[in-house]
Structure formats: structure tokens, C-alpha cells
Amino acid sequence: MAERGDREAFVTLATNDTYALGCLVLGNSLRQRAQTTRKLVVMITSGVTQPMRNQLSRVFDMIYDVNLLDSRDAANLQLLGRPDLSVTFTKLHCWRLTMFDKAVFLDADTLVLQNVDELFDREELSAAPDAGWPDCFNSGVFVFRPSEETYDSLLKFAMSQGSFDGGDQGLLNMYFRDWATKDIAKHLPFIYNVVSQAFYSYLPAFTQFKDFVKIVHFIGATKPWHHPYNTATKEVTPLPESGHNKDYLQIWWDIFMTLVQPTLDPSLREQMGG
Amino acid sequence: MAERGDREAFVTLATNDTYALGCLVLGNSLRQRAQTTRKLVVMITSGVTQPMRNQLSRVFDMIYDVNLLDSRDAANLQLLGRPDLSVTFTKLHCWRLTMFDKAVFLDADTLVLQNVDELFDREELSAAPDAGWPDCFNSGVFVFRPSEETYDSLLKFAMSQGSFDGGDQGLLNMYFRDWATKDIAKHLPFIYNVVSQAFYSYLPAFTQFKDFVKIVHFIGATKPWHHPYNTATKEVTPLPESGHNKDYLQIWWDIFMTLVQPTLDPSLREQMGG
Ligand SMILES: O=c1ccn([C@@H]2O[C@H](COP(=O)(O)OP(=O)(O)O)[C@@H](O)[C@H]2O)c(=O)[nH]1
Ligand SMILES: O=c1ccn([C@@H]2O[C@H](COP(=O)(O)OP(=O)(O)O)[C@@H](O)[C@H]2O)c(=O)[nH]1
Ligand SMILES: [Mn+2]
Ligand SMILES: [Mn+2]
């Protein structure tokens, strides 16, 4: 029988080379910093270039190609006039990874600071509250159980209901709608998905619980890779409008510069101004 | 035996006339708009003037005088060099209302949109997540059981531990520290304590759940009573820096202008520019 570590995986997603850079830092944070014993999977679409695929294969155990839209989904989406759901649907593909018994999805803009392998003891669907509307969970980090049945059922649900926020978070919150009220064990502590802006919204709590934070999530339009980095001082410059915490940005860039950038294909390196 | 409605109460607090205006709107929202069958209690300190006391007694069943600091607390606080905890301690006095079996504390900057009497079916300590750090509850709305023992124990705890945010929220979250992980029934749905800025942090969720919102909370330095109101058009002007939702501000002002302002003592009316 296979080891538990082989039947459980962290899964992330990139539809282009820029988000793939996030996946590379995330993968390295899981392996080098958090010393995970589980498999690492990255789902990619055709928007990711061949040099980047090569790069991803150095860090991830498995590269899982997904279509931005399945042919059958495309037809249905067209019928329903909901082409906006296409990126959302891409994330749902994680349920098709049935070679794993259990998995943890992580957005490409997350960063793992400490070992979180204990997440595999949780059941589907476990997730942390969203700081904006805390009766919704944030869909940047969640524990799930791959299953074709669930995948089909999620697709059907998506096509009949749509998503109240046009993304996967609104959809998943409606599908797993008893999350807020049913089982406290499915509430991951917030330290498993701390928005990098949290120090701003409630500084004393952030200060109090800072050392316990295990996963940071750089939500919003401005991602760590959009920030200026000074190669001489090795310091990142926070952008006030992004609201991201400087310490977390620095950790992201430290990993990027030491473990990712040196082996990047020159064509990719250009993109990052490295 | 007394009716259940007589043994259960909504409790709020004002240490000055300005916050007392908030209490008046809150009390009217509970009675007129939400048609509560429970008692209304306001705790006040000597900072509230006599005309305002009279005004409060029109709306509240009971005015409960509390000292900003009890003499015994003062001595202890002095010893510990923690005079900053004095306003925090004032809120704790609600646990001394032992003429009630159960009570719901509401900040003076909350507004009740729909009947919430079902809150009395919850146990101590029930509260909604804080949007800033959702593993903490927000202490602007909570269900509790008055008890001298709990009061004493809270005071002792406060004096030995202090409060990580210098206020009652940090203190209560440390005292009731298993709130985040133990019992989902003690998680009030967010609709019982929606920060008025929530429409900004996650608009789609706000739009989706807007009709279910039962209690609005105007957190932050800028309160509804700080906003300019045009008596000709009967419209409030939102202040962008406060981030409060215009619809909610308007409801607050509608109640203020129809049910509070007309009977205000002239000396108080001046303060509001009415
Ligand atoms: O163009 C895109 C947008 C999103 N994503 C993936 O979908 C996740 C969710 O999007 P994002 O993190 O940007 O949303 P936020 O967390 O800021 O709401 C990303 O982390 C990526 O894994 C992607 O691959 N390409
Ligand atoms: O000077 C003060 C400050 C606070 N309060 C009471 O304590 C509550 C909590 O303070 P506030 O609502 O201003 O804090 P926020 O909800 O903005 O964090 C108020 O609603 C009032 O009931 C008061 O009476 N006087
Ligand atoms: Mn994200
Ligand atoms: Mn308040």
C-alpha cells in the first residue's frame, strides 16, 4: 500500500507564466521552508509556456494540464451565456485529481510559513473565514476530497446557479453552504489563510497572533511579483495601495531570489526584471 | 413567575451624551423597528448629563449607573498601572445585571434592522466574527449570562492579563478563548453584527446577503452622528473616510430625526446642529 504522503497532495493553479511564478515560490515554501511530506501538484492551462513548464517540473511532483474550459463545459457555458465562469471552472478541475484521497488547494498567491501537513486530518470542505464577509470561507486555501461525482455536481450547480461573485469563492460558498453554521471542525483557524492586509484591519490581533501564522495570502490585484525589488539591498518596496505587509513580501522575495530566480529560463527572467 | 420577556434584556452603554445619542437611536430601533418583547437597559456613567438621563428614560426600561471605575477596581488598577483599562471595565459591568437571566449587549453604535429576539436562545458567550481578524469575535454584539462570579473572574483576568488591544474586545476574546474552535452554535451569523464598511471589503457577498442583515455596526472613529445631515432634503452625506454605507447611515438618521430629535432637550439639540 502506498504511503499516506503519496495519496495526499497540495494543489495549486496557474493559467499564465506570471501566476506560475507564484506557484514556484509557493512550491518552494512548502518544500524548503515548511518541509512537507506530501505531493505537490500544479494545474496549468495552455497559457503557461514550455520554459515555465520545465521550471515547474523542478518543484512539483505532477503537472496537471487542464483546459480553461472543457469542451462539454464550453458548450454549456455558451448556452447559458456565462463565459465569465471560465477561470472559476478551471479551479474546479482539482476535484478530478482522484489519484489522491485528500488534497489541499492553495492559491498561487499564497505562501506557506510553517508546516501545515496537519490540514490533511480535516474533512471536505474545510476552509478559513474570509475577512471581508466572515460567514463566507475564503477559497484561496481549502481541504477537499477529489471525486468525479463532486466535480460533476459542482459543474451542474455552477451552470444552474452561477456564482454570486463571478468567481470560485461565491460558487463554492453556495455549494458548501452550511460551512458557516454546521461544523466548527470545518472552520480552519484564520492562521491558515491570513490576508496579508490583516495587520491593517486589526493590528492588535495581528500582533498578538503573528507568530502563529502558517499561510499568508496576498489577495487583491497587486501581487508580490508586482512589487519593486532592489537587487543591491535585497529589499522589496511595499506599495501602499496593495496594503501587503512588508515582512511577508520580503519572505516571498527572499524565496524567489534564492530558490526560483537563479534557475529561471532567461526568457522568463526578463519578465521579472531580474 | 415573571414573563421571559422580563428576565431578558438588551443592554447598551454610554459614558457621555454623544454616545447616549447612539443609545437613543439603538433603543428606538429595537422598539419601533424591530418590535422587541424584551427589556431595554442602558448603562451610564456620570459623564451623561441630567437632561440626557431624562431622554434615555423615555426609551429604556432601566438606567443602570456604573462608575467608570469601581473603588476596588481603581485601587487595583492603580497598583497595576493599568488606568487604560477603565472604559473596558465599564462594559464589563453588564455582567452585574443579575436581575436578568440572559442578556444581549449591543454597542451604542449599532442599529437593529429586524427583530433579533431569537438571540436569547443562544448561550454565553455567543458573538459574530470580527471582520478584521475573524478568529476573534467582535464585542459590539454578544449574548451573555449576568453573574457576579463571572464579573469577578473577568476583572481578575483583566488585571492579570490586560487586554491585547487595550479594550474589551481583546480582553473578552482571551477570556472566552475557545470561541473560535469549540462550538459553532456560539458563532452568531455575521448578519447579527455587520460592519457598515462590509460592502466595501466584499461587495458581492454584501449584495447577496444584504436583505438578511439584522444588526449594523458603525465601527471606527467616525460615527453616524458625526455625519452632516441636510434638514431640507432629509439626506445624510456619507464621509468617504468613514467608509459607512449610505443606506445604513440614512436609516440611522431617519430614526434620529423622527423619534429622537423632536423630544430632545434644547441644550442637547444644539450639540447635533438640529
Ligand atoms: O488569471 C488568473 C487568475 C487566477 N488564477 C489562479 O486563481 C487563483 C485565484 O485568483 P487570485 O489569487 O488572483 O484572487 P484573490 O485571491 O486576489 O481574490 C490564483 O491564485 C491563481 O492560482 C490564475 O491562474 N490566473
Ligand atoms: O468614550 C466612549 C467609548 C465607548 N463607549 C461605549 O463602548 C462601545 C464601544 O466603543 P466603540 O463603539 O466606539 O468602538 P468600535 O466599535 O468603533 O470599535 C461604544 O459603542 C459605547 O457603547 C462609550 O460609552 N464611551
Ligand atoms: Mn488568491
Ligand atoms: Mn462599536
Side-chain angles (χ1 to χ4, degrees):
Chain A
M1 209 181 97
E3 296 280 332
R4 183 171 172 192
D6 296 332
R7 291 179 287 115
E8 296 177 344
F10 290 101
V11 181
T12 186
L13 164 68
T15 63
N16 55 47
D17 282 4
T18 318
Y19 273 98
L21 291 172
C23 295
L24 287 169
V25 171
L26 168 61
N28 275 293
S29 76
L30 275 163
R31 276 233 207 284
Q32 308 294 328
R33 191 175 165 113
Q35 305 269 321
T36 183
T37 61
R38 302 313 202 275
K39 295 292 179 196
L40 302 190
V41 177
V42 60
M43 305 194 295
I44 60 172
T45 64
S46 56
V48 175
T49 63
Q50 189 60 45
M52 184 52 92
R53 286 182 69 107
N54 300 344
Q55 193 73 24
L56 287 166
S57 65
R58 291 165 163 268
V59 180
F60 289 87
D61 297 294
M62 183 179 172
I63 296 188
Y64 186 72
D65 281 285
V66 294
N67 296 319
L68 244 180
L69 286 180
D70 268 353
S71 52
R72 61 169 175 163
D73 308 344
N76 283 323
L77 276 176
Q78 224 52 49
L79 261 170
L80 281 149
R82 296 299 309 271
D84 58 298
L85 287 175
S86 66
V87 179
T88 300
F89 279 30
T90 314
K91 207 190 243 192
L92 299 185
H93 276 99
C94 68
W95 264 275
R96 307 188 83 173
L97 294 163
T98 51
M99 60 292 276
F100 301 104
D101 294 341
K102 207 183 275 180
V104 173
F105 183 89
L106 296 169
D107 265 8
D109 59 344
T110 60
L111 177 66
V112 179
L113 301 180
Q114 302 183 33
N115 187 285
V116 292
D117 290 356
E118 67 275 13
L119 284 176
F120 294 96
D121 297 332
R122 302 265 178 168
E123 293 306 322
E124 172 172 293
L125 185 285
S126 294
D130 185 87
W133 190 274
D135 273 8
C136 288
F137 56 82
N138 182 289
S139 63
V141 176
F142 60 87
V143 182
F144 68 104
R145 199 172 270 284
S147 145
E148 283 287 345
E149 290 71 37
T150 308
Y151 176 72
D152 286 341
S153 155
L154 273 163
L155 276 198
K156 281 205 197 82
F157 185 86
M159 288 186 287
S160 65
Q161 313 281 313
S163 163
F164 71 75
D165 65 358
D168 56 284
Q169 180 157 313
L171 176 72
L172 291 173
N173 270 279
M174 285 297 108
Y175 187 84
F176 296 102
R177 66 191 309 148
D178 60 6
W179 175 85
T181 53
K182 199 167 167 215
D183 181 2
I184 196 82
K186 293 185 179 171
H187 282 221
L188 297 183
F190 190 56
I191 52 168
Y192 288 98
N193 189 354
V194 174
V195 291
S196 169
Q197 297 91 342
F199 70 100
Y200 173 77
S201 47
Y202 188 15
L203 180 60
F206 182 77
T207 307
Q208 178 80 0
F209 301 114
K210 201 178 191 325
D211 294 344
F212 303 101
V213 172
K214 297 194 178 195
I215 303 179
V216 177
H217 188 179
F218 298 95
I219 63 164
T222 310
K223 302 301 187 195
W225 51 86
H226 294 127
H227 288 66
Y229 177 84
N230 183 324
T231 47
T233 62
K234 297 184 193 301
E235 271 196 77
V236 62
T237 306
L239 298 172
E241 69 274 21
S242 83
H244 295 308
N245 177 279
K246 155 123 194 188
D247 294 345
Y248 293 144
L249 286 171
Q250 189 66 47
I251 297 173
W252 192 95
W253 273 95
D254 287 346
I255 294 177
F256 179 77
M257 291 306 287
T258 53
L259 299 171
V260 177
Q261 199 267 359
T263 58
L264 267 192
D265 187 273
S267 67
L268 297 169
R269 216 179 286 183
E270 263 168 44
Q271 281 183 239
M272 293 294 293
Chain B
M1 209 182 95
E3 294 280 333
R4 181 172 174 191
D6 295 333
R7 292 178 286 115
E8 296 177 341
F10 290 100
V11 181
T12 185
L13 164 69
T15 63
N16 56 48
D17 282 4
T18 318
Y19 273 98
L21 290 172
C23 295
L24 287 169
V25 171
L26 168 63
N28 275 294
S29 76
L30 275 163
R31 275 232 207 285
Q32 308 295 329
R33 190 175 166 113
Q35 304 271 323
T36 183
T37 60
R38 304 311 204 274
K39 295 291 179 198
L40 302 190
V41 178
V42 60
M43 307 196 293
I44 60 173
T45 64
S46 57
V48 174
T49 64
Q50 189 59 45
M52 184 51 93
R53 288 182 69 106
N54 301 342
Q55 193 72 24
L56 287 166
S57 65
R58 292 164 163 268
V59 181
F60 288 87
D61 298 294
M62 182 180 174
I63 296 187
Y64 186 72
D65 281 285
V66 294
N67 295 320
L68 246 180
L69 285 180
D70 267 353
S71 53
R72 61 169 173 158
D73 309 342
N76 283 323
L77 276 177
Q78 224 53 50
L79 262 169
L80 282 148
R82 297 297 310 269
D84 58 298
L85 286 176
S86 66
V87 179
T88 299
F89 278 31
T90 314
K91 207 190 244 192
L92 299 185
H93 276 99
C94 68
W95 264 275
R96 307 188 82 171
L97 293 163
T98 51
M99 59 292 274
F100 300 104
D101 294 340
K102 206 183 274 180
V104 173
F105 183 88
L106 296 169
D107 265 8
D109 60 346
T110 61
L111 177 66
V112 178
L113 301 180
Q114 303 183 35
N115 186 285
V116 293
D117 289 357
E118 67 275 13
L119 284 176
F120 295 97
D121 296 333
R122 302 265 179 168
E123 293 307 322
E124 174 173 289
L125 186 287
S126 293
D130 185 87
W133 190 274
D135 273 9
C136 288
F137 56 82
N138 183 289
S139 64
V141 176
F142 60 88
V143 182
F144 68 104
R145 199 172 269 285
S147 147
E148 284 288 345
E149 291 71 37
T150 309
Y151 176 72
D152 286 341
S153 156
L154 273 163
L155 276 197
K156 282 204 196 84
F157 184 86
M159 288 186 289
S160 66
Q161 313 281 315
S163 163
F164 70 75
D165 65 358
D168 57 284
Q169 179 156 312
L171 176 72
L172 292 173
N173 269 281
M174 284 296 108
Y175 187 84
F176 297 102
R177 65 189 312 149
D178 60 7
W179 176 85
T181 53
K182 200 168 164 215
D183 181 2
I184 195 80
K186 292 184 178 171
H187 282 222
L188 297 182
F190 190 56
I191 54 168
Y192 289 98
N193 189 353
V194 173
V195 292
S196 168
Q197 298 89 341
F199 70 99
Y200 173 77
S201 48
Y202 187 15
L203 179 61
F206 182 75
T207 307
Q208 177 80 0
F209 302 114
K210 201 177 191 326
D211 293 344
F212 303 101
V213 171
K214 298 194 177 195
I215 304 179
V216 177
H217 188 180
F218 298 95
I219 63 164
T222 309
K223 301 301 187 195
W225 50 85
H226 295 127
H227 287 68
Y229 177 84
N230 184 323
T231 47
T233 62
K234 299 185 194 299
E235 272 195 76
V236 62
T237 306
L239 299 171
E241 67 274 22
S242 82
H244 294 310
N245 178 278
K246 155 124 194 190
D247 294 345
Y248 294 143
L249 287 172
Q250 190 64 46
I251 297 173
W252 192 95
W253 272 95
D254 287 347
I255 294 177
F256 179 77
M257 291 307 287
T258 54
L259 300 170
V260 177
Q261 199 267 2
T263 58
L264 269 192
D265 187 273
S267 67
L268 297 170
R269 214 179 288 183
E270 264 167 45
Q271 281 184 241
M272 293 295 293

